[in-house]
Amino acid sequence: MNPITRLFIYVLLSLSIMVSTTMEVFLMHLCFIIIILIYKWPLSKELWSNFKPFLFYLPISGLIFFIISTILTTKSINIIAKDVMYATVRLYAMILVMSIYITEKQSNNLLIAVRGLWYDSKINIIWLDKIILFFELTLRLFPSTKQIWFDISRAQKAISKAPENSKLKNTINISKSIPDYILLNLNSTEKIVENMVMRGYGKSARRSVYPHIKFSLFDVYICFFLVLFLTSIHSFV
């Protein structure tokens, strides 16, 4: 399955949960989520670690919303409590769906798939191609950039610059390392630009893509069927 199709499925399912106005429709979506969880059971431990922080924050936000609603609206407390609980459960379901997508770790090829679809479209817009290239390089170089920052912190510890207990002082010390961090990355950026120019970037109107993840007719059928299916649920249930 194309990574774009996979993203479309999870996003559309989340949006469908968000606009669910009746309990029947929401319960049908909940059944879909349970089926997905059973199918993705080997990822359950990692999924739980990603989803666990929200178990604490969402009830707090629901409580704040409940207090504000009781002050600003004339609805009864029972109706407000019911609306808050329903909204919180829907948020839990949406977050769980997108947590499954993130936990799959199959979104790394998403930009490659976007480039493949862009290449197949035969459309030549330079600024859009540069945006895709920007995000692609960002994802590719983020691990090395993170390693540079880790090396700077380790070097400070090696010269007995232990981190401060105070958050303010620790922030000030980190800010002092930012100029060195920027200079190191500027040097790396110049080398990357030089290598790209040497390989011909900017001289050709369009870049090719490898590997080429094709957006097939099968993916079109899946997207169309899912839209039709969810629309039918909201219309007739």
Side-chain angles (χ1 to χ4, degrees):
M1 183 184 298
N2 192 290
I4 299 175
T5 306
R6 183 180 293 107
L7 177 63
F8 180 80
I9 291 172
Y10 283 101
V11 171
L12 189 63
L13 183 58
S14 298
L15 292 177
S16 183
I17 293 171
M18 183 178 66
V19 298
S20 299
T21 56
T22 63
M23 185 58 66
E24 291 80 7
V25 174
F26 176 73
L27 289 176
M28 290 188 67
H29 287 81
L30 194 60
C31 292
F32 298 153
I33 295 175
I34 293 174
I35 293 173
I36 295 174
L37 286 174
I38 294 174
Y39 181 70
K40 303 292 183 181
W41 184 253
L43 302 174
S44 57
K45 290 185 179 179
E46 189 174 358
L47 176 62
W48 171 248
S49 63
N50 293 332
F51 181 73
K52 186 166 56 176
F54 296 99
L55 295 175
F56 174 75
Y57 293 111
L58 286 184
I60 293 178
S61 63
L63 180 61
I64 294 173
F65 180 75
F66 176 79
I67 295 173
I68 295 174
S69 298
T70 53
I71 296 173
L72 300 180
T73 64
T74 57
K75 293 182 179 180
S76 64
I77 295 179
N78 292 333
I79 295 177
I80 295 174
K82 181 180 178 181
D83 292 340
V84 170
M85 289 180 62
Y86 184 47
T88 303
V89 172
R90 281 193 299 177
L91 283 174
Y92 271 128
M94 293 171 58
I95 292 172
L96 182 58
V97 168
M98 295 312 298
S99 296
I100 295 172
Y101 172 76
I102 295 173
T103 306
E104 281 184 338
K105 292 183 178 178
Q106 295 181 3
S107 58
N108 297 331
N109 294 328
L110 180 61
L111 279 176
I112 299 177
V114 171
R115 281 187 58 195
L117 184 62
W118 171 252
Y119 185 77
D120 290 337
S121 67
K122 307 298 181 183
I123 300 174
N124 186 19
I125 303 177
I126 297 177
W127 63 267
L128 187 56
D129 187 58
K130 289 182 178 180
I131 291 176
I132 296 174
L133 178 62
F134 169 76
F135 284 108
E136 193 174 18
L137 289 176
T138 300
L139 292 176
R140 184 182 300 176
L141 299 177
F142 178 76
S144 61
T145 305
K146 184 179 179 181
Q147 183 63 37
I148 291 174
W149 182 260
F150 175 76
D151 291 340
I152 292 175
S153 301
R154 188 170 58 181
Q156 289 180 343
K157 292 179 181 179
I159 57 177
S160 300
K161 286 188 177 181
E164 299 285 346
N165 294 327
S166 171
K167 291 185 178 180
L168 179 60
K169 291 183 179 180
N170 193 25
T171 303
I172 293 173
N173 290 334
I174 291 175
S175 64
K176 291 178 181 179
S177 302
I178 290 178
D180 296 333
Y181 177 74
I182 293 175
L183 289 175
L184 288 172
N185 281 278
L186 283 176
N187 186 30
S188 300
T189 303
E190 290 179 358
K191 293 180 180 179
I192 292 172
V193 172
E194 183 180 353
N195 290 332
M196 291 177 64
V197 172
M198 291 176 63
R199 293 180 180 181
Y201 178 75
K203 298 178 182 179
S204 178
R206 290 176 60 83
R207 294 186 300 137
S208 60
V209 54
Y210 180 82
H212 185 203
I213 303 177
K214 191 173 181 60
F215 193 81
S216 63
L217 193 61
F218 173 74
D219 296 298
V220 176
Y221 287 151
I222 291 178
C223 295
F224 177 76
F225 173 77
L226 186 63
V227 171
L228 184 63
F229 180 69
L230 292 179
T231 304
S232 300
I233 290 177
H234 286 279
S235 300
F236 301 109
V237 176

